[in-house]
Each structure stands twice: as C-alpha cells, then as structure tokens.
C-alpha cells in the first residue's frame, strides 16, 4: 500500500504508476508551472510576501507565471485571488497585498465582546444540559465576517474568464468531507482535465465559489463546517496525505511550493515536564500536524522517488514499461519561526479574544502556535509578508531560473 500511494502521487494526471507520462521535453514556453499554497490561517500572510517578490521579479505586464494554482485552507483564498486576476498577475498580487496588510481579526470572525460571550455561553449551556439538539454550538468562533469579505473582494465567477483567456489552465481547492472521510479536490479548468480517484482522495470538476473557499479554510472546532452539495466539509489540510498530487493531476510539469513553517525547524529538546499541556498547546500541536506535516512528508517522498529514478538507466525504464518521470519542485519556507513572531504580536488581538485565548493557555509560551493561526492583525501580517518578501528576494536568481528556464528534471530544491 505504501508503494502504491507513493507511486500514484507522482504519476501523470489520470494514470496509475506504470502508465504515467513519458520523460518530458518541455521548454519554458510549454511547461506548466504549478503554484501550491498550503493552509495555516493567518500564517498565509507569508505566502503573500513571497508572491509580492515574485511579481516584482517579472517584467511589467508579464503573463501569469502559474497556469496551475492549487490552494488549501487560507492558501485557497490566496489562490482564488490569483486565479481571478490571472490575466493581470501583478495587479492580483497588489490587491492581495493590500488586503493582508490591513487585516483585522473582526474581518475574519466575530471578535466583539457579545460575539465571544455568546459563543462561550452556548458551549457552557450545551455541556451543562447535555446538548441543545439542533441548537448545539458548531464552532468556537463565528466566521460570518469572512464570508462577507470574500463575497465582496473575490468574484469567483471571473475564474472562468481567466481560463477562457488562456491565462489559467486550472485552479483547485481542497476540502475534507466529514461524512465520506475523503480529501476532495474541487477544480475548475480546461475541459481536457479528467477527474481522478485515489485512496481517500478524489478530484471533482466544478465551478469554484466562495463556499468552496469557506469550506477549505474551516479549521476544525474553531470554525464551523460548510455544506457543499450533499456533504459538510472542513479544512482541506485534514487527511490531505498527498498535497502535491492535485498539481500533477492537473498537468503540472514543475511545482513551486510556498510553505508556512520554518525550513529545518529546530526541534525542541526532550526534557522532563511536570505540568499537563494546556488546551492551547494541544490545539497548536494538532493544528501543526494538520497544516504542516503532510506537505513535508510529501516533499520527502518526491525527493526519494526522484533520487531512485536517477539511479535507473533510462533504457531499463523504457524496456520495463515504466514511464515514471522526475518532477522538479522548488520549495520556499520561512527563514524564521512564525510562532515566535506571533508571540511578539499576541497582545494586538482584540481584548475579548485575548480573554478567551488566555483562559485556555494560549498566552503561555507553549500556546503561541495556536495564536499564530488566529492572529489576523495587520502588524503581524505585515511582518510575515516582509519575511516572505525577503526570503524570496534572497533567492531571486534561483526563483527566476525556476520560472524562466526549461524543465530540468531535478530533485526537490529548497530555497536556502
């Protein structure tokens, strides 16, 4: 099963391992470069900084460098903006930057005293009374403001215009079905792209709407699930065992991945502890495992497959009917610990939210990870954007070569 999973991830769009596409001969003018942006709540501001630097590297009015855009959770929201403005990539990045640079928590979820008190009261009442039936609380926080914001600034009906204009090949949003337990990638793109089905994950062609963005970014417990057709969906990072897969199914030849966790993050020492972990520490640990771990594992898997293919002479692959191909990936990750940045800005959260989070230990050092996902405040977002901008510029030549030079079939590359 492990071998089947690894192989099926890195094959051509609809095929299984032994029937993937042949070794490519694409040039920079024909190869399709995919952009993958993962989830991470407010951490996704880092992605916008990277995109801002990339936009500045390109000539004025340059075409969209990412004909395939794949987003999950908050990364899906960023991806939608790029898909909508694919005919004007730099304008899309500027608009995205302005929104993130002026973010406030109240634009994402209710942060007023009555909103927080009402949510807490419903949970307490439900616990004391053994449930409230149909009126049971569905989430810790109310995201009604985010729906209004996305509806105003992301006219998803324009995604098809980008596709029809030839500026976009495909855009995908991944969400997790609570009933089917499947990781579902909703995609909108060229009619030649077929749907796919793998173990616990499928690709479904459909027009992308704000509902898909809300579903993909519905962090479990914190935000309520969203119903799409017959099923309720939650954050797409859940059960997403192969984050790179969608891009390959959609036809990518090369992939740029923007992560939201420090590259080569230093592991904390294993020391004896006496205090039970706080709810915030446990929640932060769970969110890290949902948002961050699967992408790193998938990149490692790709690197192993690429290295294995390099040891096998091409004629053996051809004679054996094996047409697996190496896939070039450039991964850009934060050069600093985002949780530590969140610690410095934690007090910028509205007072009612601070009161709620303090009660579950989020203002202890061990709870900073949870804060880093919810801190939709401009000072924090601007620092993350500046970090992403600096990280991308530090590897400017590497990024430009990746976007401009033809396919080289190299293993995974990590900027830095």
């Amino acid at each position: 099963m492990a071998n089947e999973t690894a192989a099926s991830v890195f094959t051509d769009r609809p095929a299984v391992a032994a029937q993937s596409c042949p070794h490519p001969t694409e040039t920079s003018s024909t190869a399709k470069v995919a952009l993958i942006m993962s989830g991470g709540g407010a951490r996704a501001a880092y992605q916008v900084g990277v995109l801002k630097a990339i936009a500045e590297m390109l000539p004025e009015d340059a075409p969209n460098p990412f004909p395939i855009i794949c987003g999950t959770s908050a990364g899906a929201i960023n991806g939608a903006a790029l898909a909508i403005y694919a005919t004007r990539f730099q304008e899309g990045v500027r608009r995205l930057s302005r929104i993130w640079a002026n973010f406030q928590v109240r634009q994402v979820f209710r942060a007023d005293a009555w909103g927080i008190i009402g949510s807490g009261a419903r949970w307490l009442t439900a616990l004391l009374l053994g449930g409230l039936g149909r009126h049971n609380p569905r989430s810790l926080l109310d995201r009604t403001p985010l729906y209004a914001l996305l509806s105003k600034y992301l006219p998803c009906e324009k995604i098809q215009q980008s596709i029809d204009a030839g500026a976009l090949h495909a855009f995908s949003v991944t969400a997790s079905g609570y009933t089917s337990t499947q990781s579902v990638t909703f995609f909108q793109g060229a009619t030649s792209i077929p749907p796919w089905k793998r173990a616990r994950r499928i690709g479904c062609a459909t027009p992308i709407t704000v509902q898909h963005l809300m579903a993909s970014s519905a962090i479990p417990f914190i935000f309520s699930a969203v119903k799409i057709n017959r099923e309720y969906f939650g954050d797409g990072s859940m059960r997403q065992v192969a984050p790179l897969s969608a891009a390959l199914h959609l036809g990518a030849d090369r992939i740029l991945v923007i992560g939201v966790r420090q590259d080569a993050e230093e592991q904390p020492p294993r020391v004896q502890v006496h205090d039970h972990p706080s709810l915030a520490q446990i929640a932060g640990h769970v969110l890290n495992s949902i948002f961050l771990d699967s992408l790193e594992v998938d990149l490692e898997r790709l690197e192993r497959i690429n290295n294995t293919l390099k040891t096998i002479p091409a004629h053996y692959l051809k004679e054996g009917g094996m047409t697996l191909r190496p896939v070039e990936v450039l991964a850009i990750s934060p050069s600093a610990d985002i949780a530590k940045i969140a610690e410095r800005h934690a007090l910028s959260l509205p007072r009612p939210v601070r009161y709620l989070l303090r009660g579950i230990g989020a203002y202890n050092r061990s709870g900073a990870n949870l804060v880093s996902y919810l801190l939709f405040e401009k000072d924090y977002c601007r620092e993350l954007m500046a970090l992403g901008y600096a990280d991308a510029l530090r590897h400017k030549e590497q990024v430009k070569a990746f976007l401009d030079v033809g396919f080289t079939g190299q293993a995974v590359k990590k900027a830095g």
Side-chain angles (χ1 to χ4, degrees):
M1 175 62 71
N3 289 338
E4 186 278 330
T5 301
S8 64
V9 169
F10 301 112
T11 59
D12 193 21
R13 11 285 191 216
V16 294
Q19 299 174 325
S20 62
C21 67
H23 279 275
T25 57
E26 290 89 345
T27 64
S28 59
S29 61
T30 60
K32 292 185 178 68
V33 182
L35 172 67
I36 293 181
M37 292 184 288
S38 58
R43 288 178 174 229
Y46 175 84
Q47 300 169 351
V48 180
V50 174
L51 291 171
K52 183 179 179 183
I54 291 175
E56 292 183 3
M57 296 177 196
L58 301 174
E60 190 66 28
D61 298 324
N64 172 31
F66 306 111
I68 297 172
I69 300 172
C70 303
T72 302
S73 194
I77 295 174
N78 286 340
L82 299 183
I84 291 167
Y85 291 96
T87 57
R88 295 173 290 159
F89 174 74
Q90 291 165 325
E91 173 63 19
V93 172
R94 282 194 290 268
R95 288 173 179 262
L96 197 56
S97 298
R98 282 197 296 269
I99 292 174
W100 278 95
N102 295 284
F103 241 142
Q104 293 180 303
V105 163
R106 61 179 178 81
Q107 295 174 296
V108 180
F109 55 85
R110 285 196 61 181
D112 59 288
W114 284 116
I116 297 297
I117 292 173
S119 176
R122 282 192 298 274
W123 278 100
L124 179 60
T125 304
L127 289 172
L128 291 175
L129 299 180
L132 299 174
R134 295 179 60 186
H135 300 288
N136 272 334
R138 297 178 176 179
S139 62
L140 182 63
L141 300 171
D142 179 358
R143 279 197 308 166
T144 302
L146 180 61
Y147 183 84
L149 181 74
L150 297 183
S151 299
K152 179 179 180 180
Y153 290 105
L154 293 181
C156 290
E157 63 275 8
K158 293 187 177 181
I159 293 174
Q160 188 59 46
Q161 295 179 19
S162 298
I163 296 169
D164 293 341
L168 182 69
H169 181 68
F171 170 54
S172 75
V173 174
T174 300
S176 181
Y178 280 113
T179 303
S180 66
T181 71
Q182 289 182 321
S183 176
V184 181
T185 296
F186 301 99
F187 68 89
Q188 184 174 353
T191 56
S192 59
I193 303 173
W196 63 88
K197 184 175 182 179
R198 296 289 185 268
R200 295 294 179 187
R201 51 191 169 92
I202 64 173
C204 177
T206 187
I208 302 299
T209 67
V210 170
Q211 287 292 99
H212 294 92
L213 305 181
M214 293 292 290
S216 181
S217 58
I219 301 174
F221 302 111
I222 298 176
F223 301 133
S224 61
V226 176
K227 191 174 185 180
I228 298 176
N229 298 328
R230 63 178 180 270
E231 186 174 11
Y232 280 94
F233 289 86
D235 199 288
S237 297
M238 296 187 291
R239 312 198 75 161
Q240 190 181 33
V241 296
L244 305 181
S245 175
L248 297 173
H249 281 292
L250 295 173
D253 302 303
R254 288 175 283 150
I255 302 173
L256 175 66
V257 178
I258 306 178
V260 291
R261 174 155 69 180
Q262 184 179 14
D263 188 29
E265 184 178 277
E266 182 180 351
Q267 298 300 313
R270 295 178 61 88
V271 297
Q272 184 176 358
V273 295
H274 302 285
D275 296 330
H276 190 277
S278 66
L279 288 176
Q281 183 179 358
I282 294 173
H285 181 75
V286 170
L287 291 181
N288 280 351
S289 66
I290 290 174
F291 286 118
L292 310 177
D293 293 347
S294 60
L295 179 58
E296 294 178 353
V297 170
D298 214 14
L299 287 170
E300 287 182 357
R301 185 187 303 144
L302 171 58
E303 189 166 16
R304 287 197 304 272
I305 292 176
N306 279 342
N307 289 336
T308 299
L309 290 176
K310 287 195 298 185
T311 66
I312 303 175
H315 68 277
Y316 282 133
L317 292 174
K318 185 176 181 179
E319 291 172 1
M322 293 288 289
T323 51
L324 284 170
R325 61 187 173 91
V327 176
E328 186 175 8
V329 177
L330 177 64
I332 300 178
S333 301
S335 57
D337 187 346
I338 290 182
K340 292 181 179 179
I341 297 175
E343 283 186 53
R344 296 199 296 269
H345 295 279
L347 293 178
S348 64
L349 282 166
R351 187 185 299 273
V353 180
R354 295 204 308 269
Y355 181 80
L356 174 67
L357 294 179
R358 184 175 287 111
I360 60 175
Y363 277 78
N364 300 331
R365 178 174 294 274
S366 60
N369 268 317
L370 177 59
V371 175
S372 73
Y373 291 100
L374 300 177
L375 225 172
F376 293 93
E377 289 291 334
K378 63 180 181 180
D379 290 341
Y380 171 69
C381 293
R382 287 178 179 180
E383 184 165 349
L384 293 191
M385 290 171 62
L387 177 64
Y389 182 84
D391 286 346
L393 285 187
R394 200 161 34 242
H395 308 287
K396 179 177 180 179
E397 296 307 316
Q398 189 178 3
V399 172
K400 289 179 66 177
F402 184 83
L403 295 178
D404 297 339
V405 178
F407 185 93
T408 61
Q410 300 301 311
V412 173
K413 299 178 181 178
K414 289 188 178 180

